[in-house]
Amino acid sequence: MFLNYLRTLLLKLGVSIERATSEAQLRAIAELYWPIKPSGIDLVRIGGDADGGYVVPNCFDDIRECYSPGVDSISEFEIHLTRFGISSHLIDCSVDQPPGEFCFGSFTKKFLGPVTQGSFITMEDWIKKVQLIDSSDAILQMDIEGAEYASILSCPEDLLSAFRIIVIELHGLEALSNRWFSRIFNDFSNKLMKNHKVVHLHPNNFSSQVSIRGFYVNPLLEVTLLRNDYIGDSEPSYVTSFPGPLDFRNLANRKDVKLSPDWYCSN
């Protein structure tokens, strides 16, 4: 009873107290993200050598569409994909139109969200609206400032499995110290990895690494996943060192941020 009274009092003062995530829980979450080496498939950098460039599996055969939530002032990733005959569908309500230097498949002035209402639309409804090519394989490249959790959790599993390659930037990972967020993040991660496996990680150096009871977390983390049918059935070989030769700082004028060995199989 006293704890409830204290929590109510602190909330009135603008202070929230929540149960903390244990170190064991943090390590279990991180192990979900240990990248593996896909057999017979090399990685390649798509986009520039800074923010907007990503390391992805070089297996674009028969892919004709990329779905790209989150529009920036540059579109180097999407422009590079046009060399492979891949057209990009973009969505973002915070801009009136994408950068004008390339021909995109479509642009929707909406935000992705868990429901279709007002300025928000679910990923399922958006893709049904703009899909131009009847194909079971596509790319998802998502950078939507924290809305990725609700968007993925509300997305049907069969729709997620239609993406051969998923590139997603995770935001706010310093909140993993909070047990409630870590539960949401764990559900999000398990759903994301139901039919895919992580093949690359890269910390965005816009934010510095933080320590949660000695466990190091990068608040912004770029994750690349590949669908399981391109992984193979053999015992996975884990990536054991970072950064790789294809990795570059997102912001050239900021100090580089290293990926903690907790997030890959360093042993």
Side-chain angles (χ1 to χ4, degrees):
M1 186 171 181
F2 173 75
L3 183 59
N4 289 334
Y5 171 78
L6 179 61
R7 181 181 286 109
T8 301
L9 178 63
L10 289 173
L11 283 173
K12 290 180 179 179
L13 298 174
V15 178
S16 175
I17 57 173
E18 300 293 347
R19 299 182 67 185
T21 310
S22 70
E23 182 181 350
Q25 289 171 319
L26 289 169
R27 294 192 179 280
I29 289 172
E31 285 183 16
L32 291 173
Y33 285 83
W34 281 6
I36 68 168
K37 301 175 182 178
S39 179
I41 300 177
D42 295 325
L43 299 181
V44 62
R45 188 175 184 87
I46 299 294
D49 292 342
D51 205 28
Y54 299 96
V55 177
V56 300
N58 189 8
C59 56
F60 304 120
D61 293 348
D62 301 323
I63 293 180
R64 294 293 174 264
E65 292 183 308
C66 172
Y67 294 88
S68 187
V71 177
D72 201 350
S73 58
I74 57 175
S75 297
E76 292 182 300
F77 182 82
E78 292 85 357
I79 292 171
H80 197 161
L81 286 179
T82 62
R83 303 178 192 176
F84 300 92
I86 299 173
S87 178
S88 293
H89 301 286
L90 301 104
I91 181 171
D92 196 322
C93 198
S94 67
V95 299
D96 291 327
Q97 61 183 17
E101 65 266 28
F102 81 110
C103 183
F104 48 88
S106 69
F107 170 68
T108 303
K109 188 174 172 57
K110 293 276 190 179
F111 289 123
L112 280 192
V115 295
T116 298
Q117 183 176 354
S119 60
F120 290 87
I121 189 171
T122 65
M123 192 153 68
E124 181 181 22
D125 287 345
W126 168 53
I127 291 178
K128 285 180 179 178
K129 176 182 176 182
V130 303
Q131 188 174 37
L132 302 179
I133 299 172
D134 184 14
S135 171
S136 61
D137 272 2
I139 297 172
L140 175 65
Q141 189 270 312
M142 178 182 284
D143 182 1
I144 50 176
E145 308 301 326
E148 60 271 13
Y149 305 116
S151 297
I152 292 296
L153 284 169
S154 62
C155 183
E157 184 180 311
D158 60 343
L159 178 55
L160 278 181
S161 67
F163 297 112
R164 183 187 303 175
I165 298 168
I166 296 177
V167 184
I168 185 168
E169 181 158 4
L170 306 181
H171 298 77
L173 296 190
E174 69 276 10
L176 284 171
S177 61
N178 180 291
R179 184 171 295 187
W180 297 113
F181 176 76
S182 69
R183 288 177 179 174
I184 294 171
F185 186 78
N186 190 65
D187 291 342
F188 160 85
S189 302
N190 282 314
K191 184 168 186 178
L192 193 63
M193 298 177 199
K194 179 72 177 293
N195 296 298
H196 296 77
K197 289 185 174 62
V198 175
V199 294
H200 190 73
L201 293 176
H202 180 255
N204 188 321
N205 70 333
F206 182 82
S207 297
S208 300
Q209 195 176 69
V210 298
S211 174
I212 304 174
R213 290 178 298 285
F215 183 89
Y216 289 93
V217 172
N218 296 98
L220 299 175
L221 188 61
E222 297 167 355
V223 183
T224 304
L225 303 101
L226 181 63
R227 203 172 56 213
N228 290 340
D229 55 321
Y230 281 79
I231 296 294
D233 297 327
S234 59
E235 188 70 20
S237 174
Y238 288 99
V239 179
T240 57
S241 64
F242 281 91
L246 299 173
D247 286 317
F248 295 90
R249 286 180 287 178
N250 294 71
L251 301 176
N253 61 346
R254 290 180 69 100
K255 183 180 178 181
D256 200 7
V257 177
K258 304 297 183 184
L259 182 67
S260 168
D262 292 322
W263 293 80
Y264 61 92
C265 188
S266 58
N267 299 322

